[in-house]
Amino acid sequence: MDITRDNFEIHLDYIQESISEASFIAIDAEFSGLHVGAETKDAPNDTHEDRYLKNRRMAEAYDIIQFEPHHPAYYEARTFNFYLFPTTVSVGRAHLDVMGSFQNSALDFLARSKFDFNKWITAGIPYMNPAQVVECRSRRQEELHNGLPDIPVDDKSEQFYRHLDRKLKKWASNPSAPLKLTVSSNYQRRLIHQHVRSLGPRFVSKSYGNHVQVTCISSEQAKTRKMQRITEFENNLKRAEGFSQVIKMLIRARKPLIGHNMFLDLCHLYDQFWERLPPTLVEFQRAIHKLFPRIWDTKNMAEEIFNYGGGDGTHHQLETKLEDLYRDNRHVKWDYPYVRLHNEFNRYESDKFHEAGFDSLITGIVFARLHRRW
């Protein structure tokens, strides 16, 4: 099931229900790039710390653009394919417009895999990390208490402003009817709104074409208006958080998190949806396991089982690429559980390799089979 900003809120409760019912969560992601120059490619003599520092650089440089948590509930698969695009909207006075990087070879690979770039850009789900949420809420609180910062009155507008001041003060002494003020520029419009705010919360200004209308409301109406503005802000903030709500669901659920060769996926997930990656591998291990206590990597599992023996006294050599494991698993005579697609999730009845949704689905299938031999 493809999830975009158009249907995200509609399906959010069902996503929560699926996560709660899942036996485990398998994930996969597609990125806007991989390597930041040749120095970030794996080398034979890399230590674990070297590998982490390289992944850290790549996670900070590029973004997840398609993310897939796949939820096998009793080995019935529900696959959600999320298109992700960073939040660009203004929430209160916080203007979120982050810079992104792209690697041509990564985009070429995605294009050859039939990735829908139009859907990603026009309908990608926004997201924010907790620090951005705190910043937005803090700025909004400041705005509610102190208002917008005043703009200076330039020399050309001194006469206009003095006339405005006299007119508003006279009207405010007996505001029985709305006051209509004609404007000739956006600058004059801003000065009117600014002056009206200084009169107190009962005075409200609203723009209409070439004029601004000023109204006096009751104290009760002023309180209601403030609460409506707070509610509107919180609703906008929740929409701007977008996919980050799903990450919080995964963290709260504390279900086993499954991936294939998922070190880079975890680095991206942490950096993009939680906070900046810590400077060392040890710190990252502590931090990621605090969020997800049970992490399984099917590549490591396969290497343990096939290269070092499968518990039956025999040794096997097998390619541990995800596609190879999936194809071989369908033919090797294992005693493995049956995994079927939920009847509402039939997108992947045929193979779609290198789409995050399909790759997470087969990661879940491979894990279910490997786990029986673990």
Side-chain angles (χ1 to χ4, degrees), residues 22-285:
S23 301
F24 58 86
I25 314 292
I27 66 169
D28 186 74
E30 302 298 337
F31 310 122
S32 62
L34 286 176
H35 300 293
V36 186
E39 66 273 15
T40 59
K41 293 184 178 181
D42 293 341
N45 59 343
D46 278 350
T47 64
H48 293 309
E49 187 72 26
D50 292 334
R51 180 86 181 277
Y52 170 69
L53 293 176
K54 289 179 178 182
N55 281 359
R56 181 170 176 256
R57 283 194 63 191
M58 292 186 285
E60 290 173 346
Y62 301 117
D63 296 323
I64 294 175
I65 59 178
Q66 192 179 55
F67 186 85
E68 171 53 38
H70 151 72
H71 316 111
Y74 303 102
Y75 306 129
E76 177 181 77
R78 304 178 194 178
T79 306
F80 299 92
N81 196 44
F82 295 91
Y83 284 82
L84 307 181
F85 197 81
T87 293
T88 57
V89 298
S90 297
V91 185
R93 287 165 60 190
H95 303 285
L96 303 174
D97 192 7
V98 299
M99 294 182 64
S101 299
F102 302 93
Q103 187 177 20
N104 289 346
S105 58
L107 298 184
D108 180 61
F109 172 80
L110 290 170
R112 285 186 279 108
S113 301
K114 310 299 183 186
F115 181 81
D116 192 335
F117 290 96
N118 285 331
K119 183 182 289 187
W120 167 54
I121 294 172
T122 61
I125 304 164
Y127 56 85
M128 300 168 65
N129 62 39
Q132 290 172 319
V133 174
V134 170
E135 179 188 2
C136 283
R137 190 167 279 118
S138 174
R139 291 192 181 188
R140 183 56 173 169
Q141 290 295 328
E142 180 185 346
E143 183 180 331
L144 288 172
H145 285 92
N146 303 324
L148 293 170
D150 288 346
I151 58 173
V153 181
D154 60 28
D155 295 339
K156 295 179 181 179
S157 302
E158 282 285 354
Q159 185 176 349
F160 169 82
Y161 194 76
R162 285 196 297 269
H163 176 71
L164 171 66
D165 182 58
R166 289 194 299 269
K167 197 166 188 177
L168 277 174
K169 285 180 178 177
K170 181 179 179 180
W171 172 82
S173 64
N174 183 27
S176 56
L179 175 65
K180 184 177 178 180
L181 299 168
T182 303
V183 295
S184 59
S185 68
N186 287 332
Y187 178 71
Q188 289 183 352
R189 192 186 310 274
R190 175 76 183 270
L191 287 176
I192 293 173
H193 290 307
Q194 176 174 299
H195 202 320
V196 171
R197 283 198 306 272
S198 70
L199 298 177
R202 291 183 56 202
F203 295 92
V204 180
S205 57
K206 189 172 183 180
S207 294
Y208 292 95
N210 66 342
H211 73 276
V212 175
Q213 181 170 292
V214 186
T215 309
C216 181
I217 60 178
S218 67
S219 298
E220 193 61 36
Q221 287 174 318
K223 290 179 183 177
T224 301
R225 182 171 178 268
K226 183 177 180 179
M227 290 305 300
Q228 288 173 340
R229 292 170 67 194
I230 293 173
T231 301
E232 181 183 6
F233 167 78
E234 289 297 334
N235 289 338
N236 288 338
L237 183 60
K238 188 174 182 180
R239 281 192 290 271
E241 278 190 85
F243 182 74
S244 301
Q245 298 174 72
V246 177
I247 297 297
K248 291 177 182 177
M249 291 176 188
L250 294 175
I251 292 170
R252 288 194 298 267
R254 302 183 77 79
K255 299 292 178 73
L257 193 69
I258 318 301
H260 186 83
N261 199 18
M262 67 187 301
F263 190 16
L264 182 58
D265 298 69
L266 291 173
C267 289
H268 271 281
L269 186 153
Y270 191 91
D271 184 74
Q272 207 162 318
F273 306 116
W274 197 247
E275 62 184 13
R276 295 292 299 273
L277 284 162
T280 67
L281 175 61
V282 171
E283 291 173 279
F284 174 66
Q285 288 173 317

